[in-house]
Amino acid sequence: MKSIHDVQAANDDYAGQARVAQPGDLIWDLLTHRIRIPSAAEDMLERPALYRHIDSAIKPGRVLLLEAPVGYGKTQAVRAVARERRNVAWLTLESRDNEPLRFLTLLAIALKQDQQLGRSPLQRDVYHDFVSLMLQSYQHAREAGIEGLPDCLVLDNTHWLSQVSTREMVAQLIAELPESLSLVIVSSEQVHFSTHGPAIAGRLQRIGVDELALSLNETATLFADEMSHGRISVTTVEHLHHLSEGWLTPLQLYRLELNTADALGRAISESPGVARFFRDGLLARFTAEAQATLFQMAEPDLISDALFHAIHEPLGNGDLTPSGACQKGLPLWPVAGKGRWYRFNPLFRDWLLARGLNGRFERAVRASQWFESRGDRSEALTYALRAQDADRALDIAASGSEALLAGQDTGALLSWRQHLPAHLVEKSPRLRLVYGWVHAIGGQFAQAEKLISGLPEDELQSLGGRLSALKSFILRGRGAIAPALAEADQALQDPALSDHARLMALLVRSSALCATQCYAEARSANRSAARLARESGDAGCEILAVYDHARIELGKGYLKRAETLIRRGLDVALNTPYQPPRVGESRLQLSLALALWHQGRFDEAETSLVRSARQAEQCRDLGLLLNMALRVLIAKSRGELEQAFSWIGQAERTMQLWQVDDVVYRPILEALKVSCWLHGDQLDHVSEALRKLPMDEQDDRIPELFPMLPGLLEAMRIRLHIANGELDAAQAKLDVYAVSGGENGLVPQGHLIYSKILQSLIHDRAGKPDRSLVLLREAVQDAAREEYVSPFVEMERSLRTLLPKVLATAGDSVFYDKLRLYFRVEKSGHPSVVGEALAEPISDRERGVLELIAIGLSNQDIADRLHISLHTVKTHARRINAKFGVRSRTQAIVRARELGVL
């Protein structure tokens, strides 16, 4: 028998060349101790949802593959599930297990089939036969009822298996897996054996980064103790989650450092523990040349193999490509719908970029040339600015300024402007126009006007309609509707206007008309914009046109139609070849969140808001303001007023940091404060704020991002009058508010519902409960068509006693159930009582007629109110009397109240 020293088990190179190997008894005994479940990490975050997901995937005859970079908690998650199961054989692989015979031996020991393998030398060409024999023997033993056999095999760290023979054995194990055995494979790299066959057959399930990354709630749970002790704020936790994208290990390491005195005030990107994890846990296995390649790879925002080869300076045999780095288990993700383009995890990218390699300007020039050669002038300009190449930037800008800006990444353009000498911008009218657009899109209207003012007369004439298009955009951003429309019309009259400038003018026109509720005219402008976008072949422009159409439908209150449009637009964005972060895609996600919030789908809305925020920050889109406004409203709806005010503060700080003009964000944030104070019954604050609010009743400005603001403020003034018992003043304002529809008398759905709720509240305070409940029931029925939850959520405190009376007797639907859940209303027992007392129940339409009878309306008034014929009203009335067994209206009302129908 050979000694352990003769076998050289730890030397893969030697063992890999050996034609014959013999384990030896001592080796068998040592390897037996390798089969054990790893110990639990201290203070481990419990993740029950993930554990349930993993547990449900571990089934006999099935394979579960967990595939994610180091640090995503794969092993600990599987261990948490395995500790609750009996007969789990856990094999944690090491680099030396790459030798085929050694791996085969470990496999035999794990499955308790080591006697079948024997202790004699094996020829390499019979390894696969032994795998088949081993699995057949295992299955026969299970069928014979032999106890102690594992029913689950875990192969952890399979990324160490690099030899072809060893990988083939794993693939064979998957292909011939016994029906009584479940297999879990854990890898920190993309596995190198085929999995598509078992996946198609339903025998293999994959869990990746998306499932393993912490959710925002899990991140908050991880830092709960630190937040309770004031070491970290809620806003900072959200930032950490956004930056790390839920990467467990860096977050845990940073959390540990927060509990040390010297870590106070240190950002996660400055954490020594996180830096060591990146250096030792991720990069230690790569050569110095490969690591330098990664630093270069991180410089572009998004990277592809083709772009990388165009800008890369070869450093030796250790070079990586983006696709290769992704396969090697580095946190570099394919960008959905963008072909073979990749992006780094933001936290890891920040750490890589801190290295600051020499030659980055030269690489940025090569990137600019590469994008320009492919016709992408926007990215070419971005990288020219990044390279501080002013002459190149001027040349690109001169080739078509508006084409660079339709949905462009304004954040990058603003950040790189500081590298351009001021006199170069001043001497180029085209570049002044470009940066006029950039500042305007970023909400810096004063700076935009400063750039375009004082242009020479000859340039003014040559710019013509292009300048008017920009002026109309600035005016619309400030909420000045009529002047914006005038400038947009002037721009559109210029026959020499470029397609992109025409598109922007049409979008301004559509937005302004939508804000004034002239929806037919707005849709006409939108159709023209959509046609231009399609003809331009620019996917970013098409997405902007879809967003504009969705905004019109949202303005009318057609939530379902808007959601369909938005999801189609997002599908277009997803399936478009690579584009940089664009305003249009961010706005679509934001519009989706708005529609979902209106329907009370708060969790879905938050998911969309996270995506929108990431995109908005990347391209410095002012939509981030509305994003945070929705966060305020969601927090308020959950009773988290402190969190709501925290979001208001964060929004204000962000707008100030971005140097956005006050007129853009100040009224919106003040209105949000009023909404929160109303929710908290702090009426003194409400009264004072409404008096000071810049947007009063005489102010005709309508914010571009928040066109519902004037109506919302007026509704809050009416609510304040009601709360103070000033019913005459409330009614006078409501009479004006209720009829403030758009063209052809069309009143948006949301506006109509708010009007009826407010009228219901006035009737209730005036001692007219029947009229109040009738109107509130009508509001609920109107809202049900589009599942409009937001008006009831917004006025939740005022409706606490009224709305449950309506909901308790309402019918069965998802919408009614959603309102009942929010208002904690149990469905009334009256239907069963009525069912016992009446041979035939009262229908919803008959109940509506009965309620109007109860408030004293004549048959003709009821017919006019419900838009039905007089004959139909009389028919309903006869049926009501027959069902109640009465002969008159008065008796019907009395009987209905006895039974709880009214």
Side-chain angles (χ1 to χ4, degrees), residues 768-781 805-807 809-810 830 842-858 862 865-866 876-877 880 884 889 892-893 896-897 900-902:
K768 302 174 182 177
D770 287 344
R771 289 180 179 271
S772 175
L773 290 175
V774 166
L775 274 168
L776 191 55
R777 189 181 298 279
E778 285 183 15
V780 172
Q781 290 170 347
K805 297 176 184 178
V806 173
L807 294 176
T809 60
H830 98 269
I842 299 295
S843 69
D844 286 342
R845 173 58 80 183
E846 289 165 349
R847 182 180 286 111
V849 171
L850 181 62
E851 288 173 340
L852 296 177
I853 290 173
I855 64 174
L857 268 63
S858 68
I862 294 172
R865 183 77 165 265
L866 298 179
H876 284 314
I880 291 169
F884 284 144
R889 281 178 161 222
I893 294 169
R897 286 175 175 157
V901 177
L902 285 176

Side-chain angles (χ1 to χ4, degrees), residues 439-668:
H439 286 297
I441 292 171
Q444 300 171 351
F445 301 124
Q447 292 190 50
E449 286 181 323
K450 183 179 178 182
L451 270 175
I452 61 176
S453 63
L455 285 169
E457 284 298 326
D458 56 335
E459 292 293 345
L460 286 174
Q461 188 172 1
S462 65
L463 292 174
R466 299 168 66 186
L467 194 58
S468 291
L470 174 54
K471 288 179 178 178
S472 72
F473 188 90
I474 293 171
L475 289 165
R476 177 66 193 98
R478 284 180 164 161
I481 299 299
L485 282 170
E487 286 288 355
D489 289 341
Q490 184 173 338
L492 292 170
Q493 290 170 9
D494 183 356
L497 192 65
S498 68
D499 285 348
H500 283 88
R502 189 172 298 275
L503 172 74
M504 300 302 281
L506 284 167
L507 292 177
V508 167
R509 179 172 173 77
S510 173
S511 170
L513 290 167
C514 182
T516 56
Q517 300 178 20
C518 298
Y519 299 115
E521 290 183 71
R523 182 69 179 104
S524 176
N526 171 258
R527 287 193 186 95
S528 299
R531 184 178 64 254
L532 270 179
R534 285 192 297 272
E535 291 171 354
S536 73
D538 188 328
C541 295
E542 287 191 60
I543 292 169
L544 275 176
V546 173
Y547 158 70
D548 183 60
H549 187 184
R551 174 170 53 188
I552 294 171
E553 299 304 327
L554 281 171
K556 291 189 286 189
Y558 297 154
L559 303 181
K560 296 177 181 178
R561 193 182 303 173
E563 182 180 354
T564 301
L565 276 170
I566 294 163
R567 293 196 184 277
R568 285 179 189 166
L570 289 172
D571 287 342
V572 170
L574 187 66
N575 295 310
T576 300
Y578 163 72
Q579 293 288 349
R582 295 203 168 206
V583 170
E585 195 169 347
S586 166
R587 292 290 179 94
L588 277 181
Q589 287 285 1
L590 182 58
S591 297
L592 179 59
L594 179 60
L596 295 171
W597 172 75
H598 276 310
Q599 293 182 327
R601 296 154 66 182
F602 299 137
D603 291 339
E604 293 176 72
E606 279 190 309
T607 300
S608 207
L609 286 173
V610 169
R611 294 173 185 158
S612 169
R614 185 182 301 125
Q615 293 167 331
E617 287 173 354
Q618 286 177 314
C619 54
R620 198 149 174 177
D621 174 25
L622 270 180
L624 187 62
L625 174 62
L626 182 53
N627 185 300
M628 292 181 177
L630 285 174
R631 296 293 188 102
V632 173
L633 296 174
I634 290 174
K636 188 193 71 170
S637 71
R638 291 171 173 164
E640 301 168 353
L641 285 181
E642 183 178 349
Q643 178 67 11
F645 278 107
S646 173
W647 276 113
I648 292 172
Q650 185 175 339
E652 185 169 17
R653 288 190 296 273
T654 302
M655 294 299 103
Q656 290 172 348
L657 181 65
W658 286 6
Q659 299 179 346
V660 174
D661 290 9
D662 280 5
V663 69
V664 177
Y665 69 90
R666 187 72 63 189
I668 295 173

Side-chain angles (χ1 to χ4, degrees), residues 392-412:
R392 179 171 183 77
L394 287 171
D395 289 342
I396 296 169
S399 65
S401 54
E402 293 84 7
L404 298 169
L405 292 158
Q408 174 53 280
D409 180 359
T410 56

Side-chain angles (χ1 to χ4, degrees), residues 213-271:
L214 298 185
S215 67
L216 178 57
N217 287 338
E218 287 176 322
T219 304
T221 301
L222 179 67
F223 287 93
D225 188 59
E226 287 69 30
M227 285 193 290
S228 66
H229 288 87
R231 299 190 188 101
I232 191 171
S233 68
V234 174
T235 302
T236 303
V237 168
E238 173 135 353
H239 172 70
L240 288 173
H241 175 77
H242 171 68
L243 184 63
S244 68
E245 296 182 334
W247 197 354
L248 177 60
T249 295
L251 290 172
Q252 286 180 318
L253 291 170
Y254 183 62
R255 174 178 171 267
L256 292 174
E257 289 187 7
L258 284 177
N259 295 306
T260 62
D262 62 339
L264 293 177
R266 180 185 294 153
I268 189 172
S269 56
E270 301 169 349
S271 161

